[in-house]
Amino acid sequence: MSHRSRARSVTLLTAAALVVSGSPALAVGPPRVLQQPGAPPVVPAAEQVAATAETYPEADTNVYTVSVTRNGAPEERDSFAPDVQEVVDAALEDLESLGSSPEAPLLVLNPFGTNTTGVHAQFETEGSGTLTYTVSSPGTEDFTRVAKDHDPSAASFEGQLIGVVPGAENTVTTTWQPDDGGPTEFSFTMTAPPSASGDRTTLDRTVVGNAEELTEGLFAVMGLKRHLDYTLLYDNAGVLRAEFDLDGYRTDRLEFYGDTMVTTVGRNKVARIDGLGRVVATHVLDGFEMHHDFDVTDDGKLVILATETAKGSVEDVLVSLDLETGTYGKTVDFTELLAGYKSRTQPYGPGPYGPGEVDDWLHLNSVDWSPDGDSVIVSARENSAILKVDDVHGSPTVDYIIGQREVWAGTGAEDLLLEKAGDFPDTGGQHSVVRHDDAALADGQYYLTMFDNSFWSMRSRPDYTAPVPVGTSPVPTADPSLRSEYRKYLVDENAGTYSEVEAVPVPYSAIVSNVQDLGGPLVVNSGQALTFAEHDAQRQVIARFDYALEGPTEDDFAYRVLKYGFDGFWFAAP
């Protein structure tokens, strides 16, 4: 059944919050004041941040929206400002009485500004239970999930409904099944706002195998050059089900820490977002700019690829951020660890940083942390090398290097190279190198998977004339006549060797791109080819998704596509 509650507008005011740099702690000014419609305005002495809740006109029941102003001017919530998040949270508290039952829930569209079509749902209950919901929209497959309840009280439910299609008419049907009693159904229909990025809401999908074999989850398309500060999440049918609005920088990846999702949202800003969409902490890394990748350690630290802005060189340091304390600092400086190699390089230009020269001598593009010796595996695109660094939070040292041996001749790092066991070419400009430990392997052995771009370009070493790996190409774009590869290595640290276990041809992309091992199936994104696919465990393509727009595509790409289940975050854990 449908329920229409009395429409109302409420405004909340709070003084600006004081943000302690590098820490999630807040010191808040005077308490907020509830201002009823028609009452004289309340003017606090400090800066004024106000949240106003109004009914969304494109729904057949009361769905609310929340707008925020700062000193009377509209505030963009993609800034992730803590005081803005706080006043929105306060607005939801004041509206929560409108969610009186499963048949009369409080519904708020994207209150925290982090997911453009996410619907906040809240209502009182007579005990614990389960909320299942289905989103139906013309021309798309139904999207059904069990929503996670973020309210610890058995007397109420609070969660975020994911899956509303931007710009389309959506009917959302919820079923509340109490642990003790019969089910209650509720339904509402609304036309969602158009995609904030303006991108397509349905991808071109080609099913090659059995679509039912696709793993559960959402494909997160990250770093689209045409929409750098948006992350688009598509279901297995290629339908846009969520859209993150960022702060001028792409999502490099999504990691989960405690009950929060951690991601990059600005060039020097990390955010932690809970399952309701609320930004619970932001961390600004003054003196650094992030790029390409980060990972989270077992004890709640982020290891982040970064550029130290005061240095002359770029993309060659590792920063550690403690998510609990907010403290951060440089832990690894590769100009020191690889000083002999660095001395053989020189700045070059023009390039992605502008028309001038840049000292991009290493170009780190992926990092994967392991508790084994507090180590990381990093990928360096510029010299097509894979490096392991030990003790990254103590006294870092390079443990080994995988790469073309001639590249390292005369650098003083020759003894760090692992020996190749077998006859296979090395990689060219590889991305997304990930370590996989396997209990079936001996101690000191593990796998490395990667997207081998098969592209060779070393502009920082114009004097390099030695052989390059067989099969690599100098073509800097997506050429359908060429092939990149999914590669899998076996590393044996005891023997000091690496061998090739598997190689699967994939569409060519000279730069960006990634592979993701889902525990058998693979997700492979060929960024410049503007296509990604899920492969089964036998490496056969199940379905391919193309995300190019009409018109020229030479300068477009998606940096990464990773698939996430979001169980225990948005959806109830199975």
Side-chain angles (χ1 to χ4, degrees):
M1 64 177 288
S2 170
H3 171 77
R4 180 177 294 276
S5 62
R6 181 173 60 88
R8 75 174 193 171
S9 172
V10 294
T11 300
L12 300 163
L13 304 175
T14 182
L18 171 65
V19 184
V20 180
S21 179
S23 168
L26 298 174
V28 181
R32 72 183 191 276
V33 179
L34 177 64
Q35 179 184 323
Q36 297 295 344
V42 178
V43 183
E47 186 177 44
Q48 188 180 95
V49 180
T52 301
E54 298 178 329
T55 52
Y56 180 65
E58 300 297 327
D60 68 351
T61 191
N62 274 355
V63 176
Y64 289 87
T65 60
V66 177
S67 59
V68 179
T69 59
R70 187 184 296 275
N71 295 331
E75 174 79 355
E76 294 292 336
R77 276 173 295 160
D78 62 4
S79 66
F80 298 97
D83 57 347
V84 170
Q85 297 289 308
E86 183 181 72
V87 78
V88 171
D89 202 25
L92 294 180
E93 289 180 13
D94 285 291
L95 292 171
E96 65 182 1
S97 63
L98 299 181
S100 58
S101 71
E103 294 177 293
L106 168 66
L107 303 170
V108 186
L109 176 63
N110 187 25
F112 296 102
T114 52
N115 180 8
T116 60
T117 59
V119 177
H120 180 92
Q122 191 170 355
F123 52 85
E124 295 179 4
T125 70
E126 295 181 356
S128 57
T130 301
L131 185 73
T132 302
Y133 70 96
T134 297
V135 180
S136 302
S137 185
T140 68
E141 297 179 8
D142 283 356
F143 184 85
T144 300
R145 292 293 189 275
V146 178
K148 179 177 178 178
D149 186 357
H150 291 269
D151 192 329
S153 170
S156 58
F157 172 91
E158 187 176 23
Q160 186 178 186
L161 309 183
I162 301 298
V164 170
V165 182
E169 182 180 273
N170 295 262
T171 297
V172 182
T173 303
T174 66
T175 302
W176 173 252
Q177 177 61 64
D179 293 343
D180 185 13
T184 299
E185 188 172 287
F186 170 81
S187 180
F188 68 96
T189 298
M190 73 173 191
T191 299
S195 165
S197 68
D199 215 283
R200 57 198 302 184
T201 56
T202 303
L203 301 180
D204 296 328
R205 184 181 77 158
T206 302
V207 177
V208 180
N210 181 359
E212 294 183 358
E213 294 182 1
L214 291 167
T215 57
E216 283 295 323
L218 296 172
F219 297 100
V221 179
M222 308 174 180
L224 267 173
K225 192 172 181 181
R226 61 186 184 245
H227 302 304
L228 186 66
D229 53 352
Y230 290 93
T231 292
L232 311 179
L233 279 74
Y234 292 90
D235 66 13
N236 284 340
V239 177
L240 183 61
R241 296 294 181 177
E243 183 180 48
F244 296 156
D245 192 352
L246 308 172
D247 190 17
Y249 180 68
R250 67 172 180 246
T251 296
D252 283 333
R253 68 167 60 246
L254 305 175
E255 291 288 340
F256 295 88
Y257 174 69
D259 58 357
T260 63
M261 178 175 67
V262 185
T263 188
T264 48
V265 296
R267 286 200 171 274
N268 66 347
K269 186 185 297 185
V270 174
R272 287 176 59 193
I273 304 169
D274 69 13
L276 297 174
R278 174 174 47 207
V279 180
V280 300
T282 56
H283 304 277
V284 177
L285 308 181
D286 289 331
F288 299 95
E289 287 190 356
M290 300 178 293
H291 64 88
H292 288 91
D293 207 5
F294 68 92
D295 200 4
V296 62
T297 70
D298 290 345
D299 60 349
K301 296 183 177 66
L302 293 191
V303 286
I304 306 167
L305 298 182
T307 291
E308 188 173 7
T309 55
K311 285 179 59 177
S313 56
V314 301
E315 303 193 359
D316 57 5
V317 303
L318 195 67
V319 169
S320 178
L321 165 66
D322 190 312
L323 291 173
E324 292 295 334
T325 67
T327 57
Y328 64 90
K330 180 173 65 176
T331 59
V332 180
D333 190 333
F334 285 86
T335 59
E336 298 172 1
L337 290 188
L338 300 175
Y341 180 86
K342 174 70 169 65
S343 67
R344 305 290 295 271
T345 67
Q346 64 185 54
Y348 66 88
Y353 297 94
E357 290 190 335
V358 62
D359 193 2
D360 189 13
W361 64 282
L362 195 58
H363 198 101
L364 298 175
N365 62 25
S366 74
V367 60
D368 189 53
W369 179 85
S370 169
D372 177 21
D374 186 25
S375 62
V376 293
I377 300 291
V378 296
S379 168
R381 191 193 80 184
E382 177 65 11
N383 55 15
S384 300
I386 301 166
L387 302 92
K388 182 189 176 197
V389 179
D390 289 335
D391 196 19
V392 296
H393 291 95
S395 301
T397 57
V398 178
D399 185 28
Y400 67 70
I401 300 170
I402 294 175
Q404 189 80 357
R405 182 165 291 276
E406 291 86 352
V407 170
W408 298 90
T411 67
E414 297 91 337
D415 293 343
L416 296 173
L417 286 158
L418 295 185
E419 291 292 334
K420 186 185 301 184
D423 184 16
F424 58 92
D426 281 313
T427 58
Q430 72 292 319
H431 284 70
S432 71
V433 181
V434 176
R435 171 175 171 163
H436 302 271
D437 292 288
D438 190 327
L441 296 175
D443 289 345
Q445 293 183 336
Y446 49 86
Y447 297 112
L448 297 179
T449 59
M450 69 207 74
F451 186 100
D452 177 14
N453 298 73
S454 305
F455 171 65
W456 190 270
S457 173
M458 199 159 50
R459 297 177 67 189
S460 63
R461 296 276 304 274
D463 59 338
Y464 182 80
T465 58
V468 301
V470 174
T472 58
S473 169
V475 177
T477 57
D479 185 333
S481 70
L482 301 172
R483 288 290 178 267
S484 296
E485 287 187 314
Y486 158 75
R487 303 280 292 274
K488 185 175 184 179
Y489 285 169
L490 172 64
V491 172
D492 188 335
E493 292 190 359
N494 300 318
T497 62
Y498 65 103
S499 56
E500 184 177 81
V501 175
E502 191 176 9
V504 179
V506 298
Y508 180 73
S509 180
I511 58 171
V512 298
S513 311
N514 69 284
V515 295
Q516 179 188 21
D517 189 333
L518 299 175
L522 295 176
V523 172
V524 180
N525 170 53
S526 294
Q528 285 181 300
L530 299 169
T531 183
F532 66 88
E534 184 169 329
H535 300 237
D536 63 21
Q538 289 71 48
R539 305 305 182 241
Q540 300 301 307
V541 173
I542 303 173
R544 181 170 299 283
F545 303 81
D546 296 315
Y547 50 91
L549 297 179
E550 292 183 4
T553 61
E554 290 84 356
D555 295 328
D556 201 8
F557 57 72
Y559 179 65
R560 277 197 180 100
V561 176
L562 296 170
K563 197 172 195 182
Y564 299 93
F566 296 103
D567 293 333
F569 184 72
W570 285 334
F571 313 125

